[in-house]
Amino acid sequence: MAWTRHEKVVALADESTDQIGDFRTHLEFLGYTTEVHDDGWVSATSPVRPDFFARQLPFGVRLLAKFHLGCLDKPLLTRWLAYVNDQNNDSLLVTLAVHVDAGEATLRATALLPVVYEGTTVGVMLDLWHREVRGSDEAPPIGTSGDETKH
């Protein structure tokens, strides 16, 4: 009997139960400090690159980075949404979204890496993650937080 695509993904996930362990080792080789949290997320911090979180899922490793944008007035929020749309249009891996809660905006970057760890592939995808999360010089300025302007 032939397997469906879903059954193949589940079987691969079952065979790679330490996917996140291999991924953490790779990140630590790149200079990140990693920590596993009780909720299953792994935080990855770096002195030179943006910090992010990773979590093993049955079909891959999800990456998540959050960047505080502060309070955005309507014209600045509109500029951010246009920027995010342009970045998502050009992106090969990362999806960006702006979330506003209680007047404070956050830029979220997410991606999904393959289910089976393979060093070279993960290395290439992490390079792409870093490049796309870094963004471009065309990003609008961030807003204010309280009375203080963020730069």
Side-chain angles (χ1 to χ4, degrees), residues 22-83:
D22 292 337
F23 186 70
R24 284 183 65 206
T25 300
H26 195 116
L27 290 174
E28 289 166 358
F29 174 77
L30 295 175
Y32 281 92
T33 300
T34 64
E35 181 182 349
V36 179
H37 299 273
D38 292 338
D39 61 1
W41 285 94
V42 172
S43 57
T45 57
S46 168
V48 295
R49 294 184 172 127
D51 299 340
F52 66 95
F53 297 90
R55 183 180 184 132
Q56 183 171 336
L57 301 172
F59 43 83
V61 174
R62 180 178 170 94
L63 306 182
L64 168 66
K66 296 180 182 181
F67 305 94
H68 181 72
L69 300 178
C71 296
L72 303 177
D73 59 18
K74 189 169 182 173
L76 191 51
L77 177 59
T78 300
R79 287 177 59 195
W80 268 103
L81 294 174
Y83 171 78

Side-chain angles (χ1 to χ4, degrees), residues 1 8-9 17-18 22-23 25 29 37 40 52 60-61 70 76-77 87-88 95-96 98 113 121-122 133 148 151:
M1 181 168 122
K8 288 180 184 178
V9 168
T17 56
D18 196 29
D22 292 337
F23 186 70
T25 300
F29 174 77
H37 299 273
F52 66 95
V61 174
L76 191 51
L77 177 59
Q87 294 299 305
N88 285 338
T95 301
L96 299 176
V98 173
L113 300 186
T121 302
V122 169
V133 165
E148 184 179 323
H151 297 282

